[in-house]
Amino acid sequence: MVMASLFGLSAPIDIEIRYNGQEQRKQIEAKVDKDRREKFPLYFDGETVAGKINIRVKDGKKVEHNGIKVEFVGSIEMFYDRGNHYEFRTMQQELAVPGELRSNTSFDFEFRNVEKQYESYHGINVKLRYFVRVTILRRLADVVKEQDIWVHSYVMPADGNNSIKMEVGIEDALHIEFEYNKSRYHLKDVIVGKIYFLLVRIKIKHMELSIIRRETTGAPPNQYNESETITKFEIMDGAPVRGETIPIRLFLGGFELTPTFRDVNMKFSARYYLNLVLVDEENRRYFKQQEITIFRRQVDDEVTNDNSLQIQPNEPL
């Protein structure tokens, strides 16, 4: 992205940012807006970010400037507050003192062992970005170029991974018990569970299970919540009877999930929920949500897993 004159004048300079070993790095494809996806080179916490900046002077014109600098930036952008970007990480190097650019020139840059404590995230109302920004300072309008990288973070959840077991129902009408094998899952994991019907006195038409990502941005009173259904599928069609058991087996590797994020830089969270919905013959909906934690393992970035959703309602677990 290049930002030039505020008055609509075309910048007399082209800037290119190239990362060292960019072609050899794993590329992460991410959605940058509603209808567009891009690929970014993958980096990790503590890795050095280095490369080369190529500046081309158009038409051989002399370009005066007030200095050239390069920055490494970690930024959180709230879509409802577009004028304010919260830069939680900034490192800067001066590339050139004030002077003139008379011909094409190049600069090397290196930010050593950069702390990148959060994972990159493009959500509904927020983006967490890491990028290198080159600024050519000029009298009327600076010329700025930004080039993003993508960061993955391996943050293991706390010890303990108990199963989830809950009883829900409507008094004297419906009583079910559901159980999931764990409360914490890695990105390529399998959710295994069972649903027991202990009492059924209403006519259930079908039952579905969905994974919901709930994004929370800002803080009260300016807090925004957005829910996104990652996947939804039917696990039962037809009326259950008392004593019936419905098994669940859901492979997570086929979905575009992120780890769970909680209070990132006190700006946003992204949490995941299993949402169980029963629909009766009058199309009334009964539901119960249960939060789960999703985390990234190093092996998730090393192994390509193309498992897709598998539902096996007729097989015992």
Side-chain angles (χ1 to χ4, degrees), residues 13 55-57 60-65 68 96 99-105 107 136:
I13 301 168
I55 299 175
R56 184 174 67 87
V57 180
K61 293 180 180 178
K62 179 181 71 174
V63 177
E64 294 183 354
H65 65 84
I68 303 173
E100 294 179 348
L101 290 172
R102 295 177 176 270
S103 60
N104 299 345
T105 186
F107 299 96
I136 300 176

Side-chain angles (χ1 to χ4, degrees), residues 43-109:
Y43 283 78
F44 301 99
D45 183 26
E47 269 197 288
T48 294
V49 179
K52 184 180 288 291
I53 298 158
N54 299 314
I55 299 175
R56 184 174 67 87
V57 180
K58 295 180 182 177
D59 303 323
K61 293 180 180 178
K62 179 181 71 174
V63 177
E64 294 183 354
H65 65 84
N66 296 322
I68 303 173
K69 65 180 180 179
V70 60
E71 299 164 278
F72 180 84
V73 180
S75 172
I76 297 175
E77 303 174 6
M78 303 290 195
F79 296 170
Y80 62 84
D81 191 14
R82 291 182 181 274
N84 291 317
H85 294 175
Y86 304 93
E87 296 185 351
F88 58 86
R89 169 72 55 209
T90 305
M91 304 170 72
Q92 179 175 312
Q93 296 173 4
E94 300 297 330
L95 299 178
V97 297
E100 294 179 348
L101 290 172
R102 295 177 176 270
S103 60
N104 299 345
T105 186
S106 297
F107 299 96
D108 293 323
F109 68 90

Side-chain angles (χ1 to χ4, degrees), residues 42 71 171 175 179 196 234 261 264 273 279 303:
L42 178 62
E71 299 164 278
E171 187 175 359
H175 188 187
E179 181 176 1
Y196 307 90
E234 193 172 86
F261 301 129
V264 175
Y273 296 83
V279 182
V303 177

